[in-house]
Amino acid sequence: MRMHEDELDIDVSLVGRLIAGQFPQWAGLPLRRLESSGTENAMFRLGADKVVRLPRHPRAVEAIAHELRWLPRLGPGLPAASPEPLGRGEPGDGFPWPWSVYGWLDGRNPVPGRIEEPALLAMDLAAYVTALRRIDACEGPRGYRGVPLATRDPYVREALGLLAGRVDTGAVARVWEETLRAPEHTGPPLWAHGDLMAGNLLVTGGRLSAVIDFGTVGVGDPAVDLIGAWCLLPAAARGVFREAVGAGEAEWARGRGWALSIAVIALPYYWETNPPVAENSRYVIEEILAEAA
């Protein structure tokens, strides 16, 4: 189902032509579309050890070059596997944008609310966030989500207007307004992945094995990388994660605000077109309201 008004139709036939024309050495490999709740890229498995990612809509195009530039620098310093860029595709065969080929990473997406080893996954996620923050950020790009949380306010208010009758918008607004009173980040800008949601994490045996989709990686307020506490972990494991990351009151509040704002904005947009994203957004809102209560 199309999720965006300006989304392109991308199918196996198109991707096969692109591969044959630009990477003929892989033209004979099996190709199939992957089921994915991803909102920015269409994904196709190529052979046994590759994945092809193509932007669905114009706003996802810039992330192609962004990922290919920063993944080689960041990936080696992180404790979980990162996608290995294998090739950059160019526009062609009617497809107007660049695209990319990466090495395949085994694992599966964790399911919020049904985590096998919550405390261990919390520690793994904290180790990942901490390692990313330690990488030299002096030349890093401004993070898409490394900005003050208040910049989200107009979009949260608009989304709440669309959600009237579907969620407790009054309770959400109260939590959001409380979050906005948290002090802003005053320390040096640090690296943050920016989108550590379940769909961008892979686990094996209950442990974090890989992190994918670096389209939002950048430097700024690293509190956004605390969103996993509410988007993924059960309440009992949040304290483990917080202690391991070393988040103070203000940073923890901003992290909660980021998780809430992402969920609130996504829910009306994907309510009909992407049920997994909508379901996860409802889960996050419910967890944050339960915690506030």
Side-chain angles (χ1 to χ4, degrees), residues 35 82 129 142 145 162 168 170 209 213 235 251 278 283:
E35 291 187 11
S82 302
V129 169
R142 181 68 168 174
R145 289 177 174 165
L162 299 173
D168 187 344
S209 58
D213 197 343
E251 183 183 3
Y283 171 85

Side-chain angles (χ1 to χ4, degrees), residues 96-130:
W97 305 315
W99 46 284
S100 51
V101 183
Y102 290 91
W104 177 261
L105 290 169
D106 287 324
R108 61 173 182 81
N109 298 127
V111 180
R114 298 202 295 273
I115 304 300
E116 299 173 35
E117 299 285 352
L120 293 179
L121 185 57
M123 293 295 292
D124 291 344
L125 192 59
Y128 188 91
V129 169
T130 302

